Amino acid sequence: GTPLELVDVVKQYDSGAETVRALKGVDFAVERGEFVSVIGPSGSGKSTMLNLLGLLDVPTSGEVLLDGVDAATYDDAERTDARREYIGFVFQSFYLIDALTATENVTLPTVYERDPEARARAEDLLERVGLGDRLDHRPTQLSGGQKQRVAIARSLINEPAVVLADEPTGNLDQDTGTAVLEEFADVCEQGVAVVTVTHDPLVNEFADRVVELTDGVIRDVR
Ligand code: ADP
Ligand code: ADP
């Protein structure tokens, strides 16, 4: 089935006297092996949408479906578990831990399970993203593109159905960004669903589909 879907999602922020409708009835679905780019100007609702897809926040109304199951039926602990097992995250600013090696950074999302295989899997993933010769390097010894590839490996360690990426090329030059996007395309070919949120038009060249948010309303671009 469809791994991740938003159905008629409204997200409203109430801060004191003011109410902001950040998403106004968004329908969105991503399939396994599909790479979808979400674009839109600042303030259009992209971060809000990503936070809902990532189970980091809950909608005001509408449904967030994981393999057809409404995440609203989960309590906080179940939502956290579902996020860990089901969704990988990649950020513009990498969020790697400087005190840890590349391999240790990649194993971080498994610490809750104390998985004895995690280290070997992390090494495999780092090899897959072309960093087999950087396993014991720390983030400060890596370039921006290498750091983002470590982050991609980390996002895959729990074999998620979906990887969500927030401006993954935002801190990278064009060539490095291209290499990172090629990694996302490979991730997709392994059957993972990839959703990026970005201002970078380069991303759209690698995406199967492009959707645009404008003032909380979504539409298909391509
Ligand atoms: P984008 O990521 O496209 O810049 P956001 O999702 O961050 O857009 O924001 C969409 C709208 O919701 C904006 O008007 C923003 O000011 C508002 N917004 C976002 N987060 C909050 C919040 N926590 N409280 C109040 N308003 C918010
Ligand atoms: P950047 O601007 O570098 O892409 P942000 O700090 O704006 O990253 O974070 C993007 C979104 O990801 C935020 O809305 C935040 O809620 C979420 N986020 C940030 N750090 C984490 C984290 N460690 N785990 C899960 N979600 C996070």
Side-chain angles (χ1 to χ4, degrees), residues 138-151:
R138 290 173 206 280
T140 51
Q141 302 170 293
L142 299 172
S143 70
Q146 289 172 335
K147 283 190 251 200
Q148 197 59 304
R149 283 185 281 149
V150 173

Side-chain angles (χ1 to χ4, degrees), residues 13-15 20-22 40-49 197 213:
Y13 296 107
D14 297 302
S15 44
V20 176
R21 268 168 103 76
S42 186
S44 60
K46 300 184 302 298
S47 301
T48 300
M49 180 171 158
V197 161
L213 274 170

Side-chain angles (χ1 to χ4, degrees), residues 22-214:
L23 298 179
K24 300 171 178 168
V26 166
D27 291 307
F28 175 81
V30 62
E31 303 298 337
R32 280 169 218 282
E34 189 183 33
F35 182 161
V36 183
S37 170
V38 181
I39 61 172
S42 186
S44 60
K46 300 184 302 298
S47 301
T48 300
M49 180 171 158
L50 206 64
N51 287 343
L52 293 172
L53 287 170
L55 308 184
L56 296 165
D57 203 352
V58 295
T60 306
S61 68
E63 294 176 332
V64 181
L65 303 176
L66 280 75
D67 267 333
V69 177
D70 189 350
T73 62
Y74 299 154
D75 64 24
D76 284 350
E78 288 169 330
R79 185 173 297 111
T80 302
D81 285 348
R83 187 189 307 128
R84 266 184 213 138
E85 286 167 19
Y86 204 82
I87 299 168
F89 293 92
V90 174
F91 303 97
Q92 173 172 356
S93 48
F94 320 125
Y95 288 117
L96 300 177
I97 307 230
D98 281 340
L100 301 180
T101 66
T103 303
E104 289 163 349
N105 268 284
V106 173
T107 60
L108 262 189
T110 70
V111 295
Y112 309 98
E113 289 97 50
R114 299 175 186 280
D115 179 350
E117 316 270 297
R119 191 170 186 91
R121 251 192 3 260
E123 291 175 358
D124 282 349
L125 285 166
L126 284 166
E127 269 160 38
R128 241 169 73 187
V129 299
L131 294 174
D133 56 349
R134 296 286 186 280
L135 301 178
D136 296 323
H137 284 56
R138 290 173 206 280
T140 51
Q141 302 170 293
L142 299 172
S143 70
Q146 289 172 335
K147 283 190 251 200
Q148 197 59 304
R149 283 185 281 149
V150 173
I152 292 171
R154 180 187 54 191
S155 78
L156 297 171
I157 190 75
N158 288 330
E159 299 176 335
V162 183
V163 170
L164 302 177
D166 184 4
E167 292 283 0
T169 57
N171 284 330
L172 306 176
D173 64 37
Q174 175 121 353
D175 286 349
T176 312
T178 300
V180 161
L181 289 165
E182 281 165 355
E183 294 301 342
F184 279 113
D186 278 357
V187 167
C188 260
E189 278 182 19
Q190 310 289 317
V192 178
V194 174
V195 181
T196 57
V197 161
T198 188
H199 287 103
D200 181 359
L202 183 65
V203 176
N204 298 346
E205 291 174 29
F206 290 82
D208 299 310
R209 198 150 60 79
V210 181
V211 299
E212 181 171 28
L213 274 170
T214 311

